[in-house]
Amino acid sequence: MTSLTELIPAPSSVATPGGQGFVLDQATEIQAARGTWRVAHWLRTTVGAATGLPLWPHSSSENHILLRIWPPLADELGGPEAYRLTASGGTVVIDAASEAGLFHGAQTFRQLLGPDVFRRAPVTSKRAWEVPAVTIRDAPRFRWRGFMLDVARHFMPKDGVLRHLDLMAAHKLNVFHFHLTDDQGWRIEIKRYPRLTEVGSWRARTKFGHRASPLWEDKPHGGYYTQDDIREIVAYAAERHITVVPEIDVPGHSQAAIAAYPELGNTDVIDTASLSVWDNWGISLNVLAPTDNTLRFYEGVFEELLELFPSEFIHVGGDECAKEQWRQSPTAQARIRELGLADEDELQSWFIGHFDKWLSARGRRLIGWDEILEGGLAEGAAVSSWRGYQGGIAAARAGHDVVMCPEQQVYLDHRQHAGADEPVPIGYVRTLEDVFRFEPVPPELTPEEARHVLGTQANVWTEVMEDRARVDYQTFPRLAAFAEVAWSRLPAPAERDFADFERRMAAHYRRLDALGVAYRPPAGPLPWQQRPGVLGRPIDGPPPNR
Ligand code: ACM
């Protein structure tokens, strides 16, 4: 049994009326009302697997878990993802405004049963699974509670992605931003352009550590998701009430695509046919040519993407597009003149604006990194504010929706301790407490402007994370603090009770242990987690150093 005060993220309210609670045992049934069978199935495959109990789908026993959807609860409890969980008199009732709310309630129920219930197989026979008498009312603060994973710099095979979706769900996160393409790799099968994966998904070698490091991993690295893999990932996410927002990064961060199809690059500036998928970190100067051919090519890519991803938002990147080649390219300069544009920044706006209109015409919405503000923000576009709060503030003031993910706060590739034994320490020191005290809505915004902050997102860039264990180390435990920021209605940063959060984390580490998460232990990395000799480059202030 977990104490009622050990939940993460913290719920809106917990009332303890006393009296009889609930005991999960051989007799327990799941009574699934209309529209709740998927949540019942999830409970059976998780709680059922960990306890070895049958969780019968009948409705005769007093000992039952009753699942119900009741939309008016949205008004009573604070939004469409709200739920109310009551354990009393030997039963558990989870009422929710929607299936998503019910799923969040089921996640809370799992936490209440204790850390062993996070295992995949029963390890302890003959034990009691108890929940004390309680009523929990809960609803999220933000509707976009995001996690971004960069699978371009280091590929993560599909089972690792599915595992992250489970980990997101356990933390009540609901948007998976899937960074699928970059200079160092193209990770999604596009049927009409097979070379994107045949050529673009592999690189010959990889810089090991920060880009200033002299070390190389001299072996090919790569991989990609077939369209069937993607369909499976999207469906698995949907069962967990997670929306997958795919990112195809244009017009910068495109060297892998140019290596596959050299005509996409600025052929009048460099010999793009000699380019290969990039083996180093940083910002490649090889960007897309602003030609009709490029637009048509990417329309083809996005057409296949829309077939695979039902999300309202489609991420088009737009970050860190080096303008050197456009400045030198007669073709790009002619386009600037022909369109009556002032400069290369406006050329980037035109490029992004094209896909904004293209996506809008197909009932979708464009989202991009905050550089898409430069040279004019495309109408209807939303912004991922990563270079601090300023882009998000400007966008919200202009009436655009914003996801706050400032690199100074929620880039989880940045080291989480100043100690010398942090593995490949890059970026700012951002501790668990720093993330816990992150506030997504800057005080400069009026309440009206703040309504444009859809939510917040933690971003995991994987240049220095070559495998799952490294991703786990950087992501956890900080993602737990981030989840609390995104879900719970916390006081102002300085007033947040970090001591209480740490106390709850003691229970949460046991949940993560049961889930097999290789988090950073509070006392520092374990010997096998250290990477002595691999160069990172810590910084104490801007600019970012990846
Ligand atoms: C980014 O970190 N370049 C979005």
Side-chain angles (χ1 to χ4, degrees):
M1 179 164 79
T2 293
S3 152
L4 293 171
T5 61
E6 288 178 340
L7 296 168
I8 288 183
S12 309
S13 81
V14 177
T16 48
Q20 186 193 357
F22 170 76
V23 180
L24 186 83
D25 62 23
Q26 285 289 341
T28 302
E29 297 171 349
I30 298 183
Q31 298 188 13
R34 187 177 311 143
T36 69
W37 68 269
R38 289 204 302 185
V39 177
H41 173 73
W42 180 84
L43 278 170
R44 238 170 241 121
T45 55
T46 53
V47 173
T51 60
L53 296 171
L55 304 179
W56 305 109
H58 303 299
S59 54
S60 53
S61 170
E62 281 300 297
N63 180 330
H64 61 244
I65 302 162
L66 174 58
L67 307 177
R68 291 190 300 214
I69 292 173
W70 194 52
L73 267 187
D75 296 331
E76 190 186 323
L77 294 178
E81 292 182 85
Y83 69 90
R84 182 179 55 219
L85 184 158
T86 304
S88 95
T91 67
V92 167
V93 181
I94 310 177
D95 284 308
S98 65
E99 194 188 334
L102 193 71
F103 183 70
H104 302 316
Q107 289 284 355
T108 299
F109 173 64
R110 179 164 68 150
Q111 287 201 7
L112 289 172
L113 289 169
D116 278 341
V117 85
F118 285 78
R119 295 184 187 280
R120 260 183 272 262
V123 289
T124 45
S125 54
K126 299 249 182 295
R127 57 156 293 172
W129 304 93
E130 295 171 48
V131 177
V134 68
T135 296
I136 292 172
R137 291 164 207 274
D138 203 7
R141 177 178 176 199
F142 292 109
R143 72 176 164 105
W144 185 303
R145 302 180 301 280
F147 171 69
M148 189 217 77
L149 186 64
D150 166 14
V151 294
R153 270 55 174 269
H154 281 102
F155 179 61
M156 180 176 284
K158 180 184 67 183
D159 66 328
V161 174
L162 301 180
R163 172 178 175 268
H164 271 282
L165 293 170
D166 278 324
L167 292 171
M168 285 180 66
H171 293 84
K172 299 186 170 70
L173 300 176
N174 69 343
V175 179
F176 179 54
H177 175 163
F178 205 6
H179 184 78
L180 285 164
T181 69
D182 217 302
D183 297 310
Q184 297 85 358
W186 184 283
R187 305 279 175 235
I188 177 171
E189 176 188 26
I190 300 296
K191 301 248 191 228
R192 72 189 79 181
Y193 306 126
R195 285 176 61 82
L196 284 173
T197 43
E198 281 166 16
V199 174
S201 78
W202 286 93
R203 58 178 183 258
R205 62 172 192 167
T206 298
K207 176 54 61 91
F208 203 50
H210 179 265
R211 70 186 130 90
S213 145
L215 303 174
W216 295 91
E217 174 104 82
D218 260 312
K219 70 177 188 200
H221 177 88
Y224 68 92
Y225 310 102
T226 65
Q227 295 202 349
D228 282 339
D229 290 337
I230 294 285
R231 273 187 276 272
E232 187 177 340
I233 288 167
V234 168
Y236 196 86
E239 280 170 18
R240 285 149 187 79
H241 298 279
I242 294 169
T243 300
V244 185
V245 174
E247 179 184 351
I248 300 291
D249 206 341
V250 294
H253 287 285
S254 297
Q255 185 167 323
I258 299 168
Y261 291 94
E263 65 271 25
L264 294 173
N266 293 289
T267 51
D268 55 353
V269 180
I270 64 152
D271 172 20
T272 55
S274 67
L275 285 177
S276 48
V277 178
W278 210 21
D279 56 13
N280 210 334
W281 312 129
I283 302 174
S284 166
L285 298 182
N286 297 305
V287 305
L288 298 178
T291 60
D292 288 344
N293 174 59
T294 304
L295 297 182
R296 298 293 92 73
F297 183 97
Y298 275 88
E299 286 168 5
V301 171
F302 283 115
E303 262 171 34
E304 293 192 27
L305 211 68
L306 297 194
E307 290 285 316
L308 295 167
F309 295 94
S311 63
E312 177 187 14
F313 284 102
I314 300 291
H315 208 293
V316 301
D319 57 322
E320 300 177 319
C321 178
K323 305 288 177 354
E324 279 83 345
Q325 291 184 352
W326 287 359
R327 276 193 276 278
Q328 291 165 31
S329 157
T331 311
Q333 292 302 317
R335 183 120 260 195
I336 287 175
R337 280 194 303 279
E338 170 199 320
L339 294 166
L341 303 175
D343 55 19
E344 293 76 20
D345 284 343
E346 288 199 359
L347 190 59
Q348 153 134 351
S349 281
W350 165 81
F351 194 99
I352 296 293
H354 174 83
F355 287 103
D356 184 33
K357 289 196 271 304
W358 191 92
L359 287 168
S360 301
R362 286 153 185 81
R364 307 296 183 103
R365 291 176 67 190
L366 175 145
I367 184 165
W369 301 109
D370 58 55
E371 286 94 331
I372 68 171
L373 288 160
E374 287 162 15
L377 181 56
E379 199 185 327
V383 166
S384 305
S385 188
W386 75 277
R387 294 177 299 177
Y389 288 103
Q390 283 315 313
I393 291 170
R397 288 193 170 143
H400 293 279
D401 288 340
V402 175
V403 175
M404 281 293 184
C405 49
E407 61 168 339
Q408 296 83 353
Q409 274 83 9
V410 285
Y411 267 34
L412 301 185
D413 51 334
H414 289 187
R415 62 201 167 128
Q416 48 202 318
H417 195 276
D421 53 3
E422 284 306 298
V424 205
I426 63 165
Y428 311 97
V429 175
R430 290 298 177 259
T431 63
L432 181 64
E433 179 165 0
D434 291 330
V435 175
F436 179 69
R437 295 194 193 282
F438 163 58
E439 172 49 47
V441 180
E444 293 95 315
L445 293 182
T446 65
E448 180 59 33
E449 291 162 352
R451 270 196 274 280
H452 284 295
V453 180
L454 298 178
T456 182
Q457 184 170 295
N459 294 339
V460 175
W461 301 99
T462 57
E463 288 94 333
V464 299
M465 292 169 228
E466 68 281 7
D467 59 27
R468 177 190 289 204
R470 282 288 296 125
V471 174
D472 275 9
Y473 183 93
Q474 294 303 127
T475 306
F476 294 98
R478 290 183 295 182
L479 197 70
F482 173 78
E484 181 130 323
V485 166
W487 178 277
S488 309
R489 285 165 207 278
L490 297 175
E495 279 134 48
R496 292 179 191 169
D497 188 348
F498 184 64
D500 179 67
F501 181 74
E502 275 191 305
R503 183 188 59 73
R504 288 182 286 128
M505 276 306 294
H508 202 66
Y509 284 122
R510 295 201 302 277
R511 295 177 197 131
L512 296 178
D513 285 334
L515 286 165
V517 176
Y519 57 83
R520 179 188 189 277
L526 300 167
W528 67 269
Q529 292 175 316
Q530 297 169 15
R531 294 287 191 281
V534 181
L535 264 193
R537 190 165 71 181
I539 53 169
D540 297 316
N545 73 334
R546 283 190 318 280

